Amino acid sequence: MPYNPPIAQIMLAMQSAGNLGAQGPGDLGAEDAAAILSEAGRFAAERIAPLNWTGDQHPAKLVDGTVVTPPNFAQTYRDWAAGGWNSLTGPAAHGGQDLPFLLLAACTELWNASCMAFALCPLLTTGAIEAIAAHGSDEIVQRYLPKMISGEWTGTMNLTEPQSGSDLSQLRCKAQRTPDGTYRLRGAKIYITYGAHDWTSNIVHLVLARLDDAPEGTRGISLFLVPKILPDGAQNDLQCQSLERKLGIHGAPTCTMVYGDNGGATGWLIGEENRGLACMFTMMNNARLLVGVQGVALASRATDAAISFAKERRQGRGPDGGSAPTPIIRHPDVKRMLTQMRAKTAAARMLCMATAAAIDASARAPSAEDRKAAAARAALLTPLAKAYATEIAVDVTAAAIQVHGGMGFIEETGVAQYHRDACILPIYEGTNGIQAIDLVSRKLGIAEGRTLAAFLQAARTALAACAGEAAAEVWIADLRQVSDQLLQAPNSALSLAAATPFLRALAALVAAGYLADASRLAQGTKVQHEAETDAAYFIAVELPAAVATAKTAMAGAAVLLAANFGG
Amino acid sequence: MPYNPPIAQIMLAMQSAGNLGAQGPGDLGAEDAAAILSEAGRFAAERIAPLNWTGDQHPAKLVDGTVVTPPNFAQTYRDWAAGGWNSLTGPAAHGGQDLPFLLLAACTELWNASCMAFALCPLLTTGAIEAIAAHGSDEIVQRYLPKMISGEWTGTMNLTEPQSGSDLSQLRCKAQRTPDGTYRLRGAKIYITYGAHDWTSNIVHLVLARLDDAPEGTRGISLFLVPKILPDGAQNDLQCQSLERKLGIHGAPTCTMVYGDNGGATGWLIGEENRGLACMFTMMNNARLLVGVQGVALASRATDAAISFAKERRQGRGPDGGSAPTPIIRHPDVKRMLTQMRAKTAAARMLCMATAAAIDASARAPSAEDRKAAAARAALLTPLAKAYATEIAVDVTAAAIQVHGGMGFIEETGVAQYHRDACILPIYEGTNGIQAIDLVSRKLGIAEGRTLAAFLQAARTALAACAGEAAAEVWIADLRQVSDQLLQAPNSALSLAAATPFLRALAALVAAGYLADASRLAQGTKVQHEAETDAAYFIAVELPAAVATAKTAMAGAAVLLAANFGG
């Protein structure tokens, strides 16, 4: 299935919600961004997209202790890295291009829409680079960053153990100090994406482990860099023990990694002892956004496939009569599905681009005050972007199957793969339930609620211009009523039980505001009609439904907390 | 994964929405029904459930022109048929037990919850039996029904061709009259479930085809019975050419059937020439309900698996504190997912049981007037049951993956299979979009709208007793306002574009009423708390959301009809 990169739609999101070109002199301009995106889109369509079905049908496999990735994955990766695509946001001091995270987010959509199983590896490398850049010693930074930024080496995140998934306090992986200042690690980690592969000569593992004398719980976790190949060229004491057989992303090896089976894997401390979780969150926050972008990518690709199919497939007469079988896109119910899919995708893209822009501003804004405000916006937006974009990715890819009818259920058609791949998104990098808890218990109260209030006010202004003052006021008031209740006791069982419906509603409200703004910005461009339709449909249908869900969140929470499942 | 048949929950749905035991003397009593269900549940749990994962991992395959089903499928089927399970509703005159369709629906849940890929074959045989019983000549009935009712032979439905899916007017399969009164068929059919298998000595295909002199379109379609083995013992001219590789139901062979490659397959006319579509709808309507039941089955099974997992899996501290990792079922957001999954499943089950009871009453009620009214209820309920139950099956099985976290994405866990299997349900036996169109364009107006009005009134009464008069009145008024608009122009593009959200809302309203009634009926039983929670949560959360969706249906329809997707 050919991939048609939605450059104009991504540019619109970057320019409206992402504020591209409005930050002032010295920043990336819209023209440059569009040129880079077009190049990225070309590589994605021509080189990466052909890998998608191949990777699904020829999963990564473990052969004699070595992981063999699907045909052409390794060569494509090397060419991709050679094109400079891995170094977009890396620090210039270490060979990076120091471009905005906004641009990385946009390119991340293109790589993942063309082949998510392929694009996962660079996504994790990006996170590892961030953690090392922020917390690594000079020696570590010098040794690893240049080659990770160039893409010569890749990175991984090692958090999960069988008994320790969302709950990192139960980590058992052990680390011992050695006299030379390095550490010996022993333990097993599961679900390690690209923990082993045949793309590069070295793989840089970031591993959470616990020192013998560490306090219990999350305050006793440290972060270590554990390379596959040691600086002296020797193989470190680590191996990929097995690969998981998964619902989707078959092309990406999901490894069980065993460290220290032969005495101990050599690791270097990143950051301070027992402060590993904070270091890990440096990379995790941006990774959460990028997982949201993966959701946008799959939703966009599936929508595109469904639209193409619906234009070709002829069944029945359209509502305008005629005897010839009509393209099913003319059937109102099919058009409904496609309109909804496209609007949800656009909404998710807006949230992600707004988050990326806030991350940029948190690092680049001229004043400390502005940087702090931007960091607060990024903190509040991240769970919205991750949870909303990944939830709609599951829905939209399922709808794409439905548009294809019986053919959608046949694997060869290819659309089922988007859905299978999407099913991991609400789970990894913090389940969507955890995003909702994060939002309610930690993010709503940022700056005494002023960050939230600013988002509500911005959405109100945008929606008033589009749907009228009265409607906008009602939506805002409904959301504010729930958020006020949540803020009174953000960690209560009631608030936690209401967190997910509230997140959905807040995400829809904020996204609706962005779509309204974008539809104005799009006037006169070739995406004007699409942007107007997205905004109009989302505001007419998705937003009221989401607000209705928020309104029943507290009543529903009270009911479900009283539920008893026996046993 | 062991299967625990939810006999008490099914019995409650049969007794409340299904009106079991209230029809008067001579009907099946609740005690007998419970005894039969318990036996069926035992067979399902002990014999069929072990096939589910096996069938997924060892798909049906085509070997030298013969379809080999997964290990143990054939023997289990023979034992199942020998137990009399295939003959529940068949006419007594031909060896059937003449039991109510309500009981068949209940048992269908058990078979499909334990292994949908296995249970599909009997489901199709049931439909074929109905069509032959209603429209077959005496000769055909005598020759085929006894062996199909006993399960010695199975049946198929052959509708789809590559160019003709939802739109049967494009059928090309040809039939020619012969001097001996039989017909010669030539053509290919796709997506034929159990079109070939190794369970029985004969397979009875019901095939839609077109006579040479038939009018164009759906008025030129005839229905033929085309047996694999002819009455003289010779092999008929038909074969399974290939099997599809599908997202789910791997154990069930989905065949491309080729008829007449060597001169013509011999067929017998069912019903009259050119009236085949009406005959096919005889079986299709009940099959649609049974597909809804498949949705209930998978949703129920997935919910059960998720509840079991959430009781065992320990992560984090619960909202009540404590330092030990808590079973995740105590986390409010996990409890929210489980409560919602269970409530939606119960709602879908109520709709299906109500539909089955209406089908029974349409055939068995003492007076012609009552039979006609029941037929009208069944006609209106069928699209609700099919579309609602299959839509929630997709959602609920996806939520079950989410409850399992990372493990949900690993195939070996088994929960992903429920979701893959469920994805066919909104598509086959008439897509859910077609159900919505059927509802709006043909069913709302039945008996000048009095059937619909009676449902609204019943829901209002039930909900008033549960949520108060005022709330009930608002919900009903909102729905009535939309239905009045739809009824003014049921075939307009606007109505067709609003059909799906309206169907969802009407299904939720009717189901909410049934759940309210059931929670009262359950007082003092062991499912009292569950029934109360299902009703309370559904009415607090699901119903208002569905009504909100209906309220924006017309505005959304206007927006989407104006959408232009280019090309």
Side-chain angles (χ1 to χ4, degrees):
Chain A
M1 213 174 298
Y3 174 48
N4 303 303
I7 305 293
Q9 289 81 349
I10 297 175
M11 282 300 301
L12 178 62
M14 291 173 81
Q15 293 182 272
S16 55
N19 224 18
L20 175 73
Q23 289 101 331
D27 277 320
L28 182 71
E31 275 186 36
D32 288 341
I36 297 171
L37 276 193
S38 294
E39 271 308 296
R42 205 177 53 79
F43 193 95
E46 292 176 6
R47 300 293 311 279
I48 304 178
L51 305 177
N52 198 41
W53 176 244
T54 311
D56 190 66
Q57 297 300 302
H58 305 280
K61 50 184 192 262
L62 188 62
V63 183
D64 301 332
T66 302
V67 168
V68 180
T69 57
N72 292 324
F73 269 47
Q75 188 56 51
T76 305
Y77 172 77
R78 289 176 205 135
D79 294 345
W80 177 86
W85 295 114
N86 200 57
S87 64
L88 292 181
T89 54
H94 305 288
Q97 302 172 58
D98 218 8
L99 286 162
F101 197 74
L102 183 66
L103 188 71
L104 177 72
C107 289
T108 296
E109 177 179 335
L110 301 174
W111 315 137
N112 282 278
S114 45
C115 180
M116 177 170 141
F118 173 85
L120 260 170
C121 189
L123 192 155
L124 289 160
T125 302
T126 298
I129 289 170
E130 285 169 10
I132 294 169
H135 305 285
S137 67
D138 283 350
E139 184 196 352
I140 290 288
V141 164
Q142 298 296 341
R143 192 186 296 155
Y144 291 100
L145 272 200
K147 291 191 172 178
M148 293 177 75
I149 287 171
S150 70
E152 192 175 338
W153 296 347
T154 67
T156 71
M157 291 168 73
N158 288 243
L159 286 75
T160 306
E161 300 173 14
Q163 78 294 345
S164 183
S166 298
D167 176 7
L168 292 172
S169 71
Q170 296 184 61
L171 277 185
R172 288 182 197 152
C173 190
K174 287 285 178 202
Q176 279 184 316
R177 299 180 193 90
T178 69
D180 67 2
T182 64
Y183 295 77
R184 292 286 165 277
L185 276 83
R186 286 180 197 84
K189 294 282 180 180
I190 62 171
Y191 303 160
I192 308 308
T193 303
Y194 280 95
H197 59 71
D198 50 7
W199 296 5
T200 57
S201 61
N202 202 358
I203 302 173
V204 180
H205 302 287
L206 293 186
V207 183
L208 287 183
R210 194 182 287 286
L211 290 162
D212 287 338
D213 56 2
E216 288 201 351
T218 54
R219 287 175 194 178
I221 296 174
S222 306
L223 180 64
F224 300 92
L225 183 152
V226 186
K228 174 183 172 185
I229 304 297
L230 293 165
D232 64 4
Q235 158 84 36
N236 206 345
D237 181 9
L238 61 88
Q239 56 173 315
C240 169
Q241 192 181 53
S242 59
L243 297 183
E244 305 288 354
R245 219 160 52 75
K246 310 183 297 291
L247 176 57
I249 48 169
H250 293 166
T254 300
C255 306
T256 295
M257 298 298 297
V258 176
Y259 294 93
D261 244 11
N262 298 305
T266 303
W268 283 261
L269 184 69
I270 300 290
E272 296 173 35
E273 288 186 352
N274 300 332
R275 301 289 299 275
L277 218 55
C279 300
M280 202 48 122
F281 268 100
T282 302
M283 64 193 284
M284 185 107 85
N285 271 327
N286 292 359
R288 284 178 173 179
L289 167 58
L290 293 180
V291 169
V293 173
Q294 292 187 308
V296 176
L298 290 180
S300 173
R301 187 82 196 272
T303 301
D304 200 43
I307 291 172
S308 296
F309 178 83
K311 286 177 180 174
E312 295 293 326
R313 174 74 171 166
R314 292 172 173 271
Q315 291 286 281
R317 279 175 296 171
D320 44 358
S323 68
T326 190
I328 63 170
I329 202 165
R330 297 207 189 135
H331 289 300
D333 193 66
V334 173
K335 211 165 178 182
R336 176 191 62 78
M337 289 191 271
L338 297 173
T339 306
Q340 184 171 41
M341 292 160 72
R342 205 173 62 177
K344 284 178 170 178
T345 304
R349 187 183 282 129
M350 292 293 162
L351 285 175
C352 290
M353 290 304 173
T355 311
I359 290 170
D360 281 328
S362 73
R364 293 166 182 251
S367 78
E369 197 183 346
D370 286 353
R371 289 195 294 274
K372 191 179 167 194
R377 288 202 303 279
L380 197 146
L381 281 171
T382 297
L384 301 187
K386 196 277 179 181
Y388 183 82
T390 60
E391 186 163 296
I392 68 101
V394 173
D395 291 347
V396 168
T397 52
I401 293 175
Q402 188 69 17
V403 170
H404 282 75
M407 287 175 69
F409 198 64
I410 307 300
E411 286 287 2
E412 205 180 8
T413 308
V415 71
Q417 185 193 346
Y418 302 135
H419 184 60
R420 288 190 286 97
D421 288 353
C423 283
I424 189 58
L425 299 175
I427 296 172
Y428 67 18
E429 293 300 332
T431 65
N432 283 2
I434 285 176
Q435 305 302 325
I437 292 168
D438 178 48
L439 173 70
V440 165
S441 63
R442 283 188 290 268
K443 303 298 177 63
L444 287 189
I446 289 177
E448 288 82 50
R450 289 194 306 276
T451 307
L452 172 67
F455 277 111
L456 294 180
Q457 185 53 45
R460 179 187 165 151
T461 304
L463 292 170
C466 199
E469 277 285 348
E473 179 53 34
V474 171
W475 291 322
I476 302 293
D478 284 341
L479 264 280
R480 193 174 283 139
Q481 196 184 354
V482 185
S483 69
D484 285 349
Q485 286 180 272
L486 296 171
L487 276 167
Q488 279 169 30
N491 289 300
S492 70
L494 204 66
S495 292
L496 298 174
T500 289
F502 177 74
L503 181 149
R504 285 177 186 146
L506 183 61
L509 182 79
V510 173
Y514 291 142
L515 289 173
D517 285 338
S519 74
R520 279 189 294 279
L521 194 65
Q523 294 303 307
T525 73
K526 69 174 182 171
V527 289
Q528 172 179 344
H529 173 72
E530 180 173 337
E532 285 174 350
T533 303
D534 288 344
Y537 189 80
F538 198 88
I539 292 167
V541 172
E542 296 297 316
L543 176 59
V547 172
T549 300
K551 286 171 74 173
T552 65
M554 303 309 283
V559 173
L560 75 90
L561 287 175
N564 174 1
F565 289 89
Chain B
M1 214 173 298
Y3 174 49
N4 303 303
I7 305 294
Q9 287 81 350
I10 296 175
M11 281 300 300
L12 177 62
M14 291 173 80
Q15 292 182 273
S16 55
N19 224 18
L20 176 72
Q23 290 100 332
D27 277 320
L28 182 71
E31 276 186 34
D32 289 340
I36 296 171
L37 276 193
S38 294
E39 271 307 297
R42 205 177 55 76
F43 193 95
E46 293 177 5
R47 299 294 311 279
I48 303 177
L51 304 178
N52 199 41
W53 177 244
T54 311
D56 190 65
Q57 297 300 304
H58 304 279
K61 52 184 191 256
L62 189 62
V63 183
D64 300 332
T66 303
V67 168
V68 180
T69 57
N72 291 323
F73 268 47
Q75 188 57 50
T76 305
Y77 172 77
R78 287 175 205 134
D79 294 347
W80 177 86
W85 294 114
N86 200 58
S87 65
L88 293 180
T89 53
H94 306 287
Q97 301 173 58
D98 218 6
L99 286 161
F101 197 74
L102 182 67
L103 187 72
L104 176 72
C107 290
T108 296
E109 176 179 336
L110 301 173
W111 315 136
N112 282 279
S114 46
C115 181
M116 178 170 141
F118 173 85
L120 261 170
C121 189
L123 192 155
L124 288 160
T125 302
T126 298
I129 289 169
E130 285 169 11
I132 294 168
H135 305 285
S137 67
D138 283 352
E139 183 195 354
I140 289 290
V141 163
Q142 298 295 341
R143 190 187 296 156
Y144 291 99
L145 272 200
K147 293 193 171 177
M148 293 178 75
I149 287 171
S150 71
E152 192 175 337
W153 296 347
T154 66
T156 70
M157 290 168 74
N158 288 241
L159 286 74
T160 305
E161 301 174 13
Q163 78 293 346
S164 181
S166 299
D167 176 8
L168 292 173
S169 71
Q170 296 183 61
L171 278 185
R172 287 181 198 154
C173 190
K174 288 285 176 203
Q176 280 183 315
R177 300 180 191 91
T178 70
D180 67 3
T182 65
Y183 295 76
R184 292 287 167 275
L185 277 82
R186 286 181 195 83
K189 293 284 180 179
I190 62 170
Y191 304 160
I192 308 308
T193 303
Y194 280 96
H197 59 72
D198 50 6
W199 296 7
T200 58
S201 61
N202 202 359
I203 301 173
V204 180
H205 303 286
L206 295 186
V207 183
L208 288 183
R210 194 183 287 285
L211 290 163
D212 286 336
D213 55 2
E216 287 203 351
T218 54
R219 287 175 194 177
I221 296 174
S222 306
L223 180 64
F224 299 92
L225 184 151
V226 186
K228 174 182 171 187
I229 305 297
L230 293 165
D232 64 4
Q235 159 83 37
N236 205 346
D237 180 9
L238 60 90
Q239 56 172 316
C240 168
Q241 190 182 54
S242 60
L243 297 182
E244 304 287 355
R245 220 161 51 77
K246 311 183 297 290
L247 175 57
I249 50 169
H250 294 166
T254 301
C255 306
T256 295
M257 298 298 296
V258 176
Y259 294 92
D261 245 10
N262 298 303
T266 304
W268 283 262
L269 185 69
I270 302 290
E272 296 174 34
E273 288 186 351
N274 301 330
R275 300 290 298 275
L277 217 57
C279 300
M280 202 47 121
F281 268 99
T282 301
M283 63 192 286
M284 185 108 85
N285 271 326
N286 292 359
R288 284 179 172 179
L289 167 59
L290 293 180
V291 169
V293 173
Q294 293 186 308
V296 176
L298 289 181
S300 173
R301 187 82 195 273
T303 301
D304 201 43
I307 291 171
S308 296
F309 178 84
K311 286 177 179 174
E312 295 293 326
R313 174 74 172 167
R314 291 171 175 271
Q315 291 285 284
R317 281 176 295 172
D320 45 357
S323 68
T326 190
I328 63 169
I329 201 166
R330 295 205 190 134
H331 290 299
D333 193 66
V334 173
K335 212 166 178 180
R336 176 191 61 78
M337 288 190 271
L338 298 173
T339 305
Q340 185 171 41
M341 291 159 73
R342 205 172 61 177
K344 283 178 172 178
T345 304
R349 188 183 281 128
M350 293 292 162
L351 285 175
C352 289
M353 290 304 173
T355 311
I359 290 170
D360 281 328
S362 73
R364 294 165 181 252
S367 76
E369 196 184 345
D370 287 351
R371 289 195 294 276
K372 190 180 168 193
R377 289 201 303 279
L380 196 146
L381 281 170
T382 297
L384 301 186
K386 196 278 178 179
Y388 183 82
T390 59
E391 186 162 297
I392 68 103
V394 173
D395 291 347
V396 168
T397 53
I401 293 176
Q402 188 68 17
V403 170
H404 282 75
M407 288 175 68
F409 198 65
I410 308 299
E411 285 288 3
E412 205 179 9
T413 308
V415 71
Q417 186 192 346
Y418 301 136
H419 184 59
R420 288 190 286 99
D421 288 354
C423 284
I424 189 58
L425 298 175
I427 297 171
Y428 67 16
E429 293 301 332
T431 66
N432 283 3
I434 285 176
Q435 304 301 324
I437 292 168
D438 178 47
L439 173 69
V440 165
S441 64
R442 284 188 288 268
K443 303 299 176 62
L444 287 188
I446 289 176
E448 288 80 50
R450 289 194 306 277
T451 307
L452 171 67
F455 277 113
L456 294 179
Q457 184 54 42
R460 179 187 167 153
T461 305
L463 292 170
C466 200
E469 278 284 348
E473 179 52 34
V474 171
W475 291 322
I476 302 293
D478 284 342
L479 263 281
R480 192 174 284 137
Q481 196 184 354
V482 184
S483 70
D484 285 350
Q485 287 180 272
L486 295 171
L487 276 167
Q488 279 169 29
N491 289 300
S492 68
L494 203 67
S495 293
L496 298 174
T500 288
F502 176 74
L503 181 148
R504 285 176 185 147
L506 183 62
L509 181 80
V510 173
Y514 290 142
L515 288 173
D517 285 338
S519 74
R520 281 189 293 278
L521 194 65
Q523 294 302 308
T525 72
K526 68 174 183 172
V527 290
Q528 174 178 344
H529 173 74
E530 179 172 336
E532 285 173 351
T533 303
D534 288 344
Y537 188 80
F538 197 88
I539 292 167
V541 172
E542 297 297 317
L543 177 58
V547 173
T549 299
K551 286 171 74 174
T552 64
M554 303 309 283
V559 173
L560 76 90
L561 287 175
N564 174 2
F565 289 87

